[in-house]
Amino acid sequence: MMKKYCFNMIEIILAISIIAIGISSVMALFTAGIKTGNATVASSNMPDVSESLLNHIRQKVEDCRTKNGWKSDELAKVAPTSAVEGAGDFAADLVEGSNTDIIKGDNKGCFLYRQLTVSQFDNTGKPSAYVPAFSAVATVKRIENSLNDIYLSNPLDPSGASFTETLKDDDNTTGKDMVDNFRVVLQVTISYPADLPADQRESKVHIMEVFNDKYNRFVREEEGE
């Protein structure tokens, strides 16, 4: 009769250790795969996200146009000339909630973009709560206009020499004022994902010009403004 062999404690511990190491390795691969997958999805989404944010910001700036220049107070909320304390604090918008805004501004030059997924339903089966599946932050800063010539056609004399008259004059003073009234140049930094600290996000910088179609030097001169 053969003697039965029983595993001793040392062999059992070794076997458990080997299994644990194997499972840990597999879990590490899963974690790395999930991170890589999320990064790939984010990268593929960013062109559409950037376009949505840039179009939204452009519209906000265009809403500030007047025939005399810009609504300076409103423009400062969209594109300040320097960083504003407390800007970009969207912590409350990055948790589960009922807010369905896709893009939200903070009136300090920052905008939050969110792709939402339903997290809860009410008794009737309608969505009652959402959680951000992906989010990005756009930080907008108004930067100084370059003094390159900008040419306007004169609607009062479209065939005359003033057709190519420039907004820039010889002393670069009045001309610069006119350039500033006619055009703003924005630096838009889009970083993602928004739920990470700012120094750990991927980011892209866009330079965007917005022109003031309501402002016209020639009409102002004709009206004696």
Side-chain angles (χ1 to χ4, degrees), residues 131-156:
V131 63
F134 174 76
S135 54
V137 170
T139 303
V140 187
K141 180 181 178 182
R142 182 178 179 180
I143 60 179
E144 185 176 358
N145 269 317
S146 64
L147 289 179
N148 295 332
D149 292 352
I150 298 177
Y151 295 95
L152 287 178
S153 61
N154 184 347
L156 304 178

Side-chain angles (χ1 to χ4, degrees), residues 30-45:
F30 272 120
T31 302
I34 291 172
K35 288 183 178 179
T36 302
N38 289 340
T40 301
V41 171
S43 297
S44 63
N45 282 347

Side-chain angles (χ1 to χ4, degrees), residues 66-171:
T66 74
K67 67 176 183 178
N68 296 319
W70 306 89
K71 300 174 185 176
S72 56
D73 291 343
E74 294 300 315
L75 184 59
K77 295 177 182 179
V78 181
T81 55
S82 59
V84 180
E85 184 177 354
D89 183 11
F90 295 109
D93 298 283
L94 294 173
V95 298
E96 184 180 61
S98 57
N99 186 350
T100 58
D101 292 338
I102 302 300
I103 298 178
K104 178 181 179 182
D106 65 354
N107 290 327
K108 297 177 181 178
C110 290
F111 296 84
L112 173 68
Y113 176 95
R114 303 184 306 166
Q115 292 177 343
L116 300 174
T117 184
V118 178
S119 59
Q120 292 182 23
F121 295 88
D122 61 19
N123 295 331
T124 64
K126 294 182 179 180
S128 59
Y130 303 83
V131 63
F134 174 76
S135 54
V137 170
T139 303
V140 187
K141 180 181 178 182
R142 182 178 179 180
I143 60 179
E144 185 176 358
N145 269 317
S146 64
L147 289 179
N148 295 332
D149 292 352
I150 298 177
Y151 295 95
L152 287 178
S153 61
N154 184 347
L156 304 178
D157 185 18
S159 61
S162 57
F163 183 79
T164 57
E165 188 169 352
T166 178
L167 285 176
K168 172 185 172 184
D169 62 3
D170 293 336
D171 62 12

Side-chain angles (χ1 to χ4, degrees), residues 1 24 30 65 90 103 118 123 136 138 165 170 177 186-187 213 216:
M1 185 174 179
S24 299
F30 272 120
R65 297 179 301 185
F90 295 109
I103 298 178
V118 178
N123 295 331
E165 188 169 352
D170 293 336
D177 293 339
L186 309 177
Q187 176 181 295
D213 294 336
N216 193 300

